[in-house]
Amino acid sequence: MQKEIQVKIKNKFKKKYQAGYPHLFQEALVNSKQLTREGALLNLTDEQGHFLGRGYYGKQNKGLGWVLTRDENEKIDQDFFDQKIRDAINHRHSLYQNKETTAFRVFNGEGDGIGGLTIDVYAGYYLITWYSLGIYQFKDLILQALKHAVDFEGVYEKKRFDTGGKYVEDDDFVAGERAEFPLIIKENGVNFAVYLNDGPMTGIFLDQREVRKTIRDLYAKGKTVLNTFSYTGAFSVYAALGGASKTTSVDLANRSLPKTVEQFQVNDLDDKAHEIRVMDVFNYFNYAVKKNLTFDMVILDPPSFARSKKHTFSAAKDYVGLLKDAISITSKDGVIVASTNFSGFGMDKFKRFIDKAFEESGSTYSVVETFSLPEDFKTNRQYKESDYLKVVFINKNQ
Ligand code: SAH
């Protein structure tokens, strides 16, 4: 096993790490300059040299790595990775048994004890996402651990770190058999065409599974639904399956049109009975106001940050405005589904945004229900940023 680098944590942060905080950041380390080789194992102590934990060095956004264990006797070896992956799979036991859902998160970074690593399963094919060059150094051990734990069809990977421009775009295939794309997965009995070999996104964001099901089962029937930032139209497909009278999907990416048609078709839905627009959402709001269009349900699921030709959108600064636009075209007693994956604020602040937007619009509302991450997106309680998803179903009273 490689030699560990001795890293001191400032006494000021000692309690935090003793309580299980998993994230290593520059300010907490006495000397972060000594870290040079990503993937190096770190022996973490307080300033007096008392053991606090073991971790690894890997640059991920502003972070410098993750704590892997607080047990001085635990080694970071094949057994360690075997155990972590096996525990994660046991935690998803009911999803593995569920025939209606074949795609979900199997391993969720620090929530499952290894920051910088996620693993998803798509109908027997596993997708590993590496968030730093550091965690990528453990690829062989992690792949072995996955082989020990499951019978997979195949394994693909995504590298979410700066590869210095040297990364030759391959098809992300790693092991086992190659899949045929689109790969058809199921989620709550709904079909979905996914691609594991086509850029950073697969076609579906797995963390919204319960929100989609709720829209289909409890809200969609007979309703007109506007789905903004619609990507491949997942919310629209669920709404249509739930009996929506019509869905309108709006996304500015050209690819969203054929991708949304494909999702309708793999569910034997008539895509022609629905509207799919390649358009800036903010232009669509203006258009809808001008045409006096209103909707019974408006879904808002924007990225945390986005830039289009005319607009920049940042969830922290612009969500109130987005809500006001939505309020202006939602019918009385209509429902707005407001979602954000921005980790920089929590549910309380998000609800204050909602309050402000309704107040400034001269409307009243009630919160009908809220969602956060589903159980397969396991989070670490000491690390609040990992609990990023906030979804609020809002009834517009008038
Ligand atoms: N709601 C989607 C996921 C959204 S991903 C789902 O449930 O699957 C974010 C999407 O927002 C991307 O597809 C991107 O093309 C789109 N987007 C970003 N800025 C936009 C804008 N100003 N107008 C319309 N779409 C936008």
Side-chain angles (χ1 to χ4, degrees), residues 205 229-231 235 251-253 255 279-282 301 303 306:
F205 288 99
F229 307 94
S230 57
Y231 182 42
F235 286 119
D251 194 294
L252 89 107
R255 61 163 191 236
M279 190 170 179
D280 191 311
V281 159
F282 298 98
D301 182 29

Side-chain angles (χ1 to χ4, degrees), residues 240-373:
L241 290 168
S245 57
K246 187 185 163 189
T247 70
T248 303
S249 306
V250 183
D251 194 294
L252 89 107
N254 287 324
R255 61 163 191 236
S256 68
L257 175 60
K259 295 251 179 211
T260 302
V261 168
E262 179 176 45
Q263 302 307 353
F264 273 99
Q265 289 181 351
V266 296
N267 287 290
D268 295 324
L269 291 164
D270 178 11
D271 56 277
K272 304 253 171 9
H274 297 267
E275 206 170 319
I276 305 166
R277 284 180 177 258
V278 175
M279 190 170 179
D280 191 311
V281 159
F282 298 98
N283 293 340
Y284 186 81
F285 284 127
N286 293 337
Y287 164 86
V289 168
K290 214 180 293 163
K291 296 271 175 186
N292 278 322
L293 300 181
T294 56
F295 297 87
D296 302 322
M297 173 172 251
V298 177
I299 299 166
L300 305 173
D301 182 29
S304 298
F305 301 96
R307 179 169 294 162
S308 63
K309 276 193 199 116
K310 280 207 195 132
H311 300 274
T312 47
F313 175 84
S314 128
K317 290 203 193 104
D318 305 316
Y319 214 110
V320 173
L322 177 63
L323 280 160
K324 285 165 77 174
D325 286 336
I327 291 165
S328 71
I329 58 167
T330 302
S331 50
K332 182 175 171 329
D333 274 325
V335 172
I336 295 172
V337 179
S339 171
T340 179
N341 58 11
F342 183 55
S343 58
F345 57 77
M347 186 58 109
D348 289 352
K349 186 157 177 188
F350 193 40
K351 284 190 172 164
R352 286 201 293 278
F353 285 174
I354 294 168
D355 204 59
K356 186 159 191 250
F358 273 89
E359 188 171 334
E360 290 180 6
S361 301
S363 286
T364 57
Y365 72 100
S366 39
V367 169
V368 195
E369 54 187 314
T370 60
F371 288 82
S372 54
L373 287 171

Side-chain angles (χ1 to χ4, degrees), residues 48-64:
Q48 284 67 44
H50 300 121
F51 180 83
L52 289 173
R54 275 199 183 90
Y56 75 91
Y57 169 49
K59 281 200 275 185
Q60 185 180 336
N61 303 323
K62 286 182 194 136
L64 293 178

